[in-house]
Amino acid sequence: SQQGEEDPQALSIQEGENATMNCSYKTSINNLQWYRQNSGRGLVHLILIRSNEREKHSGRLRVTLDTSKKSSSLLITASRAADTASYFCATFQGGSEKLVFGKGTKLTVNP
Amino acid sequence: GAGVSQSPSNKVTEKGKDVELRCDPISGHTALYWYRQSLGQGLEFLIYFQGNSAPDKSGLPSDRFSAERTGGSVSTLTIQRTQQEDSAVYLCASSLFLAGGSTDTQYFGPGTRLTVL
């Protein structure tokens, strides 16, 4: 079953604008991770936020985590055309080592 | 250092044939994962190896799928009697196994795009 569900499914913005993607999950977690995928190939790990953290920054990325609502958001500030990709959140399922991904948000940044 | 590598990058095969997909994890990573991504879909967990422990095969979709990991390093995913619905990108990932029984960030390879005609 899907552990993480991202929304929106697709997002199209202009270069320079901010992009916000949301993720909801179902069970308790130790951490939540965000990945980026270009052109349907390998995933790149972006950021990991632990369950005892509420916000984390990495460059132009800002991730928040609300464990009471079982949700996370990924904000990309000052977007660039190169940010065009699909973004996935992922969590470990049921204390196992299986990383469960949502179906992703497809972000298009128009120059 | 070198990342996770996979070969071949693309594989086209005929229905009914067997295929082998290879994954070379990052050196020193004891955990290795296989995932499948069908067109427009999220990633589906297939199998997980950790050290010498029995692999977690709970995600394998049928008994046509099998995987092994030799010497705790390279892994091969084998699909026997391929079907058209097996067409997908097969992704491998590796990670460190941390003290306390958890794993670290998973690092993904570029994937193998399998097309079954």
Side-chain angles (χ1 to χ4, degrees):
Chain A
S1 62
Q2 291 286 355
Q3 172 71 321
E5 295 285 347
E6 295 90 344
D7 87 275
Q9 292 186 340
L11 179 61
S12 181
I13 60 174
Q14 295 300 121
E15 209 164 25
E17 294 180 339
N18 296 341
T20 300
M21 289 158 272
N22 302 297
C23 166
S24 60
Y25 56 92
K26 297 177 182 176
T27 62
S28 61
I29 59 171
N30 291 324
N31 63 63
L32 184 143
Q33 306 181 42
W34 284 90
Y35 286 81
R36 183 184 71 204
Q37 185 179 39
N38 292 82
S39 304
R41 299 308 290 261
L43 278 79
V44 174
H45 181 261
L46 295 177
I47 195 165
L48 180 151
I49 186 165
R50 302 194 186 280
S51 59
N52 61 353
E53 298 176 308
R54 292 296 169 260
E55 187 171 313
K56 198 163 184 179
H57 296 255
S58 176
R60 294 183 296 111
L61 305 181
R62 172 179 168 247
V63 169
T64 62
L65 180 64
D66 187 334
T67 53
S68 66
K69 295 181 180 178
K70 291 187 169 57
S71 67
S72 174
S73 68
L74 171 67
L75 168 68
I76 303 174
T77 60
S79 64
R80 305 167 182 169
D83 295 329
T84 295
S86 291
Y87 292 82
F88 296 87
C89 69
T91 57
F92 288 105
Q93 183 180 53
S96 75
E97 302 302 332
K98 299 178 201 179
L99 200 58
V100 179
F101 291 81
K103 292 190 176 181
T105 292
K106 186 172 183 179
L107 173 67
T108 301
V109 181
N110 301 300
Chain B
V4 177
S5 61
Q6 292 186 245
S7 61
S9 56
N10 287 284
K11 176 72 176 179
V12 179
T13 190
E14 293 179 347
K15 178 181 172 181
K17 296 283 180 68
D18 298 351
V19 295
E20 285 189 352
L21 313 179
R22 177 187 167 107
C23 172
D24 280 273
I26 293 172
S27 178
H29 281 191
T30 57
L32 186 147
Y33 310 78
W34 283 97
Y35 297 88
R36 177 172 72 173
Q37 186 177 31
S38 302
L39 184 64
Q41 298 296 309
L43 282 87
E44 173 189 14
F45 166 84
L46 296 178
I47 188 169
Y48 159 62
F49 294 90
Q50 168 49 39
N52 296 321
S53 301
D56 179 347
K57 304 179 182 179
S58 60
L60 296 179
S62 77
D63 58 8
R64 297 186 295 103
F65 287 72
S66 63
E68 62 178 23
R69 189 178 184 192
T70 53
S73 180
V74 171
S75 177
T76 303
L77 177 69
T78 301
I79 309 173
Q80 296 178 309
R81 305 181 302 282
T82 53
Q83 304 295 312
Q84 288 183 333
E85 60 262 29
D86 299 334
S87 295
V89 176
Y90 289 82
L91 291 156
C92 174
S94 71
S95 69
L96 289 169
F97 192 81
L98 302 176
S102 65
T103 53
D104 199 3
T105 300
Q106 294 186 19
Y107 295 88
F108 282 78
T112 294
R113 185 178 299 279
L114 175 66
T115 303
V116 182
L117 302 177

